[in-house]
Amino acid sequence: MLTLILAEAELELIPENIVMHPQVQRAAAAKDKRASRTILDSSMHHEALRQVPEGERRGRPDLVHFSLLLGLDSALNQADELRIVVHTRNDQRIAINPDTRLMRHYPRFIGLMEKLFYDGASPKDNPLLILEDGWTLPRIIEHHKAGPVVTLSEKGTPVEPGEYLAKRHAQSPDLTVVLGAFPHGDFHSPPETWSAEVVGLGGTALSVWTVELAILPHWQLACGVFTRYLSPFP
């Protein structure tokens, strides 16, 4: 089982101090929603983001969208060998049922997130997505981890993903991987405090979905996800 934690995800509602910003108000009016119930998105709120701390890295729900699509659509998830949890910058946890099928259309995904942040669950009956406050990253890791905890960081020890994951799987069939779901910069606290190991893919800054694409196929191969379904030749 691979547990994937999307950490410090830049997914949040509009911060209070920019709710009345003209750009935020215009974007909310176009959707016929209250600004305070809309998701911060740098593609629409870039001017307003200049007024919030760390504005240059906030408002990136697209990182979560792409990462969830990759994970939930993977063969690893179809084989029930993957769990994904989202941790937001505001210490909220989004627990995701592996059977969730997200919409591909980005604006519809944003609408889903806005509803989730308001209702706390989607759908309300038998929810596939649950959002809860008060979940720090260490708490999420401790609650959801299976096997050793490894964090991917550009500052980590460089590894070749195929060789590294094959070795990890040989040691344990379970692994927890923490990925930073933010566009640039580093984790707000040292990953060594929650990880057995901090590794990187060549020491360069890579998008979260690029790192995910390097992990999923190799863990699928290590798990034998495809070969387990093949019938022997007669």
Side-chain angles (χ1 to χ4, degrees), residues 37 73 90 92 133 153 164 176-177 180:
R37 294 186 183 178
D73 282 359
N90 295 319
Q92 294 160 307
D133 296 327
S153 168
Y164 178 78
T176 298
V177 174

Side-chain angles (χ1 to χ4, degrees), residues 6-12 15 40-43 45-46 48-64 87-91 137 153-155 179-189 194:
L6 303 179
E8 297 184 11
E10 295 298 344
L11 176 63
E12 61 181 312
L40 183 67
D41 190 334
S42 62
S43 64
H45 308 130
H46 52 279
L49 277 167
R50 296 173 185 169
Q51 300 180 12
V52 299
E54 294 190 301
E56 72 283 353
R57 74 178 251 171
R58 294 170 72 173
R60 292 300 303 272
D62 59 302
L63 300 181
V64 176
H87 163 259
T88 76
R89 73 153 32 240
N90 295 319
D91 285 337
L137 181 54
S153 168
E154 62 183 280
K155 297 179 180 179
L179 302 180
F182 41 84
H184 52 78
D186 208 345
F187 294 97
H188 288 131
S189 58
W194 65 71

Side-chain angles (χ1 to χ4, degrees), residues 5 14 26 66 69 82 94 107 143 192 206:
I5 298 176
I14 298 290
R26 286 195 300 270
F66 294 159
L69 286 178
L82 178 67
I94 302 177
H143 183 80
E192 292 81 5
L206 300 171

Side-chain angles (χ1 to χ4, degrees), residues 150-214:
V150 174
T151 298
L152 271 291
S153 168
E154 62 183 280
K155 297 179 180 179
T157 303
V159 298
E160 194 286 314
E163 179 182 342
Y164 178 78
L165 291 171
K167 180 180 177 180
R168 275 292 183 184
H169 190 271
Q171 295 170 346
S172 170
D174 297 318
L175 183 67
T176 298
V177 174
V178 180
L179 302 180
F182 41 84
H184 52 78
D186 208 345
F187 294 97
H188 288 131
S189 58
E192 292 81 5
T193 61
W194 65 71
S195 301
E197 194 170 9
V198 182
V199 299
L201 304 181
T204 58
L206 300 171
S207 65
V208 60
W209 59 78
T210 299
V211 178
E212 189 176 352
L213 277 170

